[in-house]
Amino acid sequence: MVGTLDTITPPEQLTLEKIIRLEKEELIELLWSTDRQIYKILTSSINIHEARNSLFKYLNGLERSYFNIYSNNKLKNLHDLEKRHAKNCVRVLKNIIRTENENLAGASALAFLWKLAHKRPRQTATVTKSYLCELLFLFLGINGKSAFYCDKQAPAAELDTGEKPGVIRSRFLDRYAEHISGFVHRYPNGLNPEIVKKGRAMKQKILDYFRASKQDWQDYRWQLKHIISKRTTIEDLIELSNEEREGLEAAEKHGVPVQITPYYLSLFDPKAAGKIDSTIRAQVLPNRQYVESLIEALNSGKDLDFMGEYSTTPISGITRRYVQVLILKAFDSCPQICVYCQRN
């Protein structure tokens, strides 16, 4: 994947799965290849002020070209839905690089991008893959390459004057459902025979590790008693990627709790390079940036009550969310890295 900008596979020809598994350096090169004009503006500008002015000029021209019937830009021929999506992406990018918004954020995304384009070592070292992916899809969006609308893939209804309109519509929806189902079934689920087989193997491996029985496995008290919180124990049972190991080491260093029940760990693919459990792992394995951001927020006294619950919590364990709705909290904290139940 790594190479000159002219030899890199266009991101619109890559699947999302392939993109998120690229190395950081590959993502950086892919980002610049997505919009060579932005890359040219950044590298040719002698300072941030010049880069900002040139970028606004470029984005304003791009935005005008979408709905200008006299424009020579090929983007004017996109479907209206794609055009509107592109205009929204342009607006988002312009908001990101506005000085007033940077002042509010206390940081300059444009300065970071400018230094990244100029290959400043510190920026390359600190930029995250998730940040690069966000920018990559934003760049795709402003160029009308987000595949927001694609009428070539939509199933067409066959018109037959001998059929009632309701029958034709019903058949069209059936075909559309099959079309969507084809995309959904590209991803394995928990009932997939291969995943079931791996899960059973992981379960037995964990039972053997703790010298437990199948009866123990069904006992919630045994599950809670054997919650896994040490990195060494996790590595005894599964492989960790370098990023996952760094995150767990950071959590140990700063005292950020990590807790995984034996059952939840049995959902993991034992191999670090597994493609089917990345979201499952991300719910309980903190990355280094998450840990450092959390500690920074705690040390600075930042309010982490993002749901605004302190003012509506009359006693411990109960939050009066609405007039007729309250939240009962059996536990006051949770090691999962999510907000599914409004805890963080």
Side-chain angles (χ1 to χ4, degrees):
M1 183 73 194
V2 178
T4 64
L5 295 185
D6 294 327
T7 62
I8 295 175
T9 303
E12 62 268 25
Q13 296 180 17
L14 296 172
T15 63
L16 177 60
E17 184 179 3
K18 289 182 179 179
I19 289 175
I20 63 177
R21 295 190 180 282
L22 293 175
E23 296 298 328
K24 184 191 296 185
E25 291 74 15
E26 294 174 320
L27 276 173
I28 292 174
E29 293 188 18
L30 189 61
L31 174 67
W32 301 137
S33 71
T34 303
D35 194 310
R36 289 176 169 81
Q37 185 60 28
I38 290 181
Y39 179 69
K40 183 179 179 180
I41 289 172
L42 292 172
T43 53
S44 61
S45 301
I46 61 175
N47 54 45
I48 309 299
H49 178 71
E50 182 181 329
R52 194 187 316 276
N53 289 338
S54 297
L55 275 176
F56 269 112
K57 183 178 180 180
Y58 168 64
L59 292 173
N60 288 336
L62 195 61
E63 189 174 22
R64 285 193 298 268
S65 70
Y66 283 119
F67 294 95
N68 183 352
I69 61 174
Y70 301 108
S71 172
N72 293 322
N73 196 317
K74 62 181 180 180
L75 298 177
K76 72 175 184 179
N77 297 319
L78 291 174
H79 189 276
D80 277 352
L81 287 176
E82 187 70 76
K83 286 182 181 180
R84 294 185 183 279
H85 182 66
K87 284 195 70 174
N88 285 330
C89 289
V90 169
R91 185 160 53 249
V92 168
L93 186 53
K94 288 199 293 187
N95 282 334
I96 288 175
I97 65 175
R98 288 187 190 281
T99 52
E100 55 267 39
N101 289 335
E102 290 183 343
N103 289 334
L104 287 173
S108 173
L110 179 57
F112 192 94
L113 269 177
W114 184 84
K115 293 174 183 178
L116 190 66
H118 284 264
K119 303 185 187 304
R120 298 288 177 87
R122 185 183 177 199
Q123 262 56 42
T124 303
T126 57
V127 69
T128 64
K129 291 173 64 174
S130 56
Y131 182 74
L132 291 171
C133 284
E134 288 280 0
L135 287 173
L136 174 64
F137 285 98
L138 190 56
F139 283 12
L140 282 171
I142 69 173
N143 286 283
K145 297 179 180 178
S146 62
F148 185 78
Y149 175 85
C150 184
D151 57 357
K152 292 181 180 179
Q153 293 184 0
E158 296 177 3
L159 297 178
D160 187 340
T161 55
E163 288 186 304
K164 294 181 179 180
V167 175
I168 296 174
R169 177 64 176 168
S170 179
R171 187 172 67 248
F172 170 78
L173 292 176
D174 286 343
R175 291 182 179 180
Y176 195 81
E178 291 175 1
H179 177 70
I180 297 300
S181 180
F183 279 92
V184 172
H185 283 89
R186 293 183 302 173
Y187 305 97
N189 58 56
L191 299 179
N192 183 289
E194 181 183 352
I195 296 178
V196 171
K197 183 179 179 181
K198 286 185 177 181
R200 288 173 177 169
M202 275 298 301
K203 172 184 173 181
Q204 191 58 52
K205 184 177 182 180
I206 295 170
L207 285 175
D208 293 342
Y209 184 87
F210 289 111
R211 299 179 181 177
S213 65
K214 292 182 179 179
Q215 289 73 26
D216 291 328
W217 188 265
Q218 300 298 327
D219 189 338
Y220 74 92
R221 290 165 297 187
W222 180 89
Q223 291 280 343
L224 293 175
K225 185 177 179 181
H226 291 82
I227 281 176
I228 301 163
S229 57
K230 293 183 179 180
R231 174 180 55 82
T232 52
T233 305
I234 296 174
E235 287 199 281
D236 284 343
L237 294 166
I238 63 165
E239 288 184 1
L240 292 173
S241 68
N242 291 334
E243 290 183 359
E244 290 170 341
R245 189 174 296 105
E246 288 178 1
L248 288 170
E249 289 173 349
E252 288 178 350
K253 177 182 177 181
H254 295 288
V256 175
V258 173
Q259 298 180 348
I260 311 173
T261 62
Y263 165 73
Y264 195 86
L265 192 69
S266 73
L267 303 178
F268 283 31
D269 189 309
K271 301 295 182 181
K275 299 180 180 180
I276 59 175
D277 68 336
S278 56
T279 53
I280 292 175
R281 286 175 174 244
Q283 294 297 324
V284 289
L285 299 179
N287 60 53
R288 186 179 63 181
Q289 182 184 10
Y290 172 85
V291 173
E292 293 176 350
S293 297
L294 176 62
I295 297 304
E296 181 182 352
L298 291 172
N299 291 339
S300 65
K302 183 178 180 181
D303 185 9
L304 297 179
D305 179 31
F306 63 94
M307 293 297 295
E309 294 182 345
Y310 290 153
S311 60
T312 55
T313 301
I315 62 175
S316 179
I318 291 181
T319 295
R320 197 77 189 207
R321 198 73 188 111
Y322 306 104
V323 176
Q324 296 180 324
V325 177
L326 60 81
I327 301 171
L328 299 175
K329 292 173 279 190
F331 295 92
D332 198 36
S333 63
C334 178
Q336 297 279 112
I337 307 170
C338 66
V339 288
Y340 293 153
C341 64
Q342 304 185 68
R343 304 278 77 70
N344 189 352

